[in-house]
């Protein structure tokens, strides 16, 4: 087995373990029809100031019209960051599910946004651009579309500034992580095309 195959297999196993734990989160997400269409996608920049250590910008060249070139993507993916992000966000999901079991009213009184105020979420977003490719890969590899994946998509949206709102700026055009990934891919491909023209 080649080194590249072993690395790929190892990453798939790591992601698989985290996805198994996240599977119970599917019941927490309720699909909602998104507003707008892919043709009307607008990426709004993130206006929040970032105090992150700058490293090399994420390389999205593995995203193509034919799908993700996974081998090329894995060459650029930092496995240690992937493990750290998966661990932090999985712990966050477990903590939130426990809180909701112990106090079901918390969903009504504090709502879902409370999740994004937690230390684990902040630790991931404080990683800045380093977190972008691992977050993308977690969503990409996941067979689920629950709370864990939605948190990953929200963090990726926050870090990249790609909000994908309708023309009025009032409604997100995505309600699930997989929908976010489709919009993200389309945006990357479209932007690369406009640069090459």
């Amino acid at each position: 087995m080649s080194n590249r195959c072993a690395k790929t297999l190892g990453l798939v196993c790591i992601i698989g373990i985290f996805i198994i734990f996240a599977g119970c989160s599917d019941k927490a997400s309720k699909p909602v029809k998104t507003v707008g269409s892919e043709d009307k996608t607008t990426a709004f920049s993130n206006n929040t100031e970032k105090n992150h250590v700058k490293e090399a910008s994420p390389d999205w060249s593995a995203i193509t019209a034919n799908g993700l070139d996974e081998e090329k993507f894995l060459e650029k993916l930092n496995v240690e960051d992937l493990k750290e992000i998966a661990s932090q966000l999985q712990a966050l999901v477990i903590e939130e599910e426990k809180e909701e079991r112990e106090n079901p009213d918390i969903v009504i009184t504090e709502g879902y946004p409370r999740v994004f105020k937690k230390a684990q979420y902040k630790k991931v977003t404080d990683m800045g651009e380093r977190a972008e490719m691992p977050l993308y890969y977690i969503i990409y590899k996941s067979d689920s579309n629950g709370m864990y994946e939605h948190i990953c998509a929200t963090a990726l949206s926050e870090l990249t500034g790609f909000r994908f709102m309708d023309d009025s700026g009032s409604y997100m055009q995505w309600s699930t992580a997989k929908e976010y990934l489709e919009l993200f891919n389309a945006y990357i491909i479209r932007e690369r095309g406009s640069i090459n023209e």
Side-chain angles (χ1 to χ4, degrees):
M1 179 184 304
S2 73
N3 189 21
R4 180 172 284 150
C5 289
K7 181 179 177 183
T8 301
L9 182 59
L11 283 173
V12 170
C13 289
I14 291 167
I15 295 296
I17 290 168
F18 288 111
I19 289 170
I20 288 169
F21 288 113
C24 61
S25 301
D26 275 345
K27 62 182 178 283
S29 65
K30 296 179 182 177
V32 178
K33 189 75 174 162
T34 57
V35 177
S37 69
E38 195 171 301
D39 297 329
K40 295 180 183 178
T41 300
T42 304
F44 291 128
S45 63
N46 185 356
N47 293 327
T48 59
E49 187 177 320
K50 295 179 183 175
N51 297 320
H52 307 297
V53 176
K54 278 284 191 189
E55 291 193 3
S57 294
D59 181 355
W60 301 115
S61 62
I63 299 173
T64 71
N66 297 325
L68 182 69
D69 179 342
E70 199 167 347
E71 186 174 314
K72 183 176 182 180
F73 190 88
L74 289 174
E75 289 173 0
K76 305 286 183 179
L77 183 65
N78 183 315
V79 178
E80 292 307 312
D81 287 343
L82 174 67
K83 289 177 186 176
E84 177 65 20
I85 290 165
S87 175
Q88 289 294 325
L89 296 183
Q90 197 56 53
L92 172 59
V93 169
I94 291 167
E95 178 182 310
E96 287 306 307
E97 288 177 340
K98 181 179 180 212
E99 277 185 26
E100 289 175 13
R101 276 192 309 276
E102 292 172 356
N103 180 11
D105 291 340
I106 197 169
V107 177
I108 296 168
T109 59
E110 294 184 33
Y112 191 66
R114 74 187 187 286
V115 172
F116 307 112
K117 297 175 184 172
K118 299 290 185 170
Q120 299 96 326
Y121 184 82
K122 182 162 177 24
K123 188 170 183 178
V124 170
T125 57
D126 282 350
M127 292 174 74
E129 289 182 339
R130 283 181 30 223
E132 292 177 16
M133 290 181 72
L135 288 164
Y136 179 97
Y137 195 67
I138 290 168
I139 301 165
Y140 172 79
K141 290 304 282 187
S142 180
D143 291 330
S144 298
N145 215 359
M147 182 191 295
Y148 176 64
E149 292 78 15
H150 195 275
I151 292 169
C152 289
T154 302
L156 184 57
S157 171
E158 183 178 324
L159 290 169
T160 62
F162 301 155
R163 302 289 187 183
F164 303 115
M165 306 294 280
D166 71 348
D167 288 338
S168 72
S170 302
Y171 301 100
M172 292 188 312
Q173 290 184 311
W174 60 280
S175 60
T176 69
K178 296 298 184 184
E179 288 174 352
Y180 181 81
L181 213 60
E182 288 175 20
L183 291 167
F184 187 93
N185 290 345
Y187 179 79
I188 294 295
I189 292 165
R190 193 169 43 253
E191 286 301 301
R192 189 171 33 240
S194 66
I195 291 171
N196 293 335
E197 292 175 354

